[in-house]
Amino acid sequence: PDFVFRGGVVGPLARFDYFDTMERLSVYKAFKLDHNSFAFSVDPVDPWSVRFYVRNTGKHVEPWQPWGALPPIPLKPTPGKDVVKGPVEAAMITFVPGDQEGELKVKFFTTGNVVKFGYEGYEFNTNGLGAVLGLFHAIGIGDVGNLALNSNVRAISNIAASNFDFLKIPKTKSENAPAWWQQG
């Protein structure tokens, strides 16, 4: 099956673009994060979908260069600006039967959908943003992350990512999502 990732801002990303973007962002290298997943529930309308929540916490531990090859200025961990305390994010994984009996494959994955209400008293440092955009705020450079909230910036970034591979810019949207995908 074709795979799609859709975040709160990013996506849809087809399988290749999702894995390529995750590698280019390299969050897993620069941050030691715990996703703190909880409240797993099978969707009563779609039994192939599992809904759950995450609340990312952790630390910026290695240099991070999330914007691609240029400028070659990795963000180094800074004491006092290296802790991540993310908000609650809604997430979902939709499965389809795999090739082998009893095997499941992931068809759709979404996260970064911040739950805006219901967790008063919990302090986060991501300016209410989830996923990668929240990380920019957690390490003290929220203005960089805020650029990705602008659809024009994302469009220009995608053109550069598609046409200038040497820049190693992460994609925020695939040109060709699978036929079944509908932006809802």
Side-chain angles (χ1 to χ4, degrees), residues 22-150:
M22 293 300 102
E23 185 60 36
R24 288 177 184 211
L25 286 172
S26 294
V27 169
Y28 70 97
K29 292 179 183 175
F31 291 86
K32 182 176 168 73
L33 296 173
D34 293 315
H35 49 79
N36 304 303
S37 299
F38 62 98
F40 289 84
S41 179
V42 174
D43 188 314
V45 175
D46 179 4
W48 291 100
S49 295
V50 176
R51 296 178 181 272
F52 57 100
Y53 298 95
V54 299
R55 183 184 287 137
N56 289 306
T57 58
K59 198 161 189 175
H60 183 197
V61 295
E62 295 290 334
W64 185 39
Q65 185 149 339
W67 43 71
L70 298 173
I73 307 170
L75 303 169
K76 296 180 181 170
T78 303
K81 294 182 179 179
D82 58 350
V83 173
V84 176
K85 291 173 68 177
V88 175
E89 302 174 32
M92 182 179 80
I93 298 174
T94 300
F95 297 95
V96 293
D99 300 329
Q100 306 294 321
E101 186 173 330
E103 177 186 58
L104 295 175
K105 292 186 177 182
V106 176
K107 177 180 179 180
F108 177 66
F109 172 52
T110 183
T111 191
N113 306 295
V114 174
V115 177
K116 302 274 186 198
F117 305 103
Y119 54 99
E120 291 75 15
Y122 175 77
E123 293 184 29
F124 50 84
N125 64 352
T126 62
N127 198 37
L129 296 171
V132 174
L133 299 185
L135 296 177
F136 285 104
H137 284 273
I139 65 171
I141 56 164
D143 289 341
V144 174
N146 289 345
L147 288 172
L149 296 173
N150 182 304

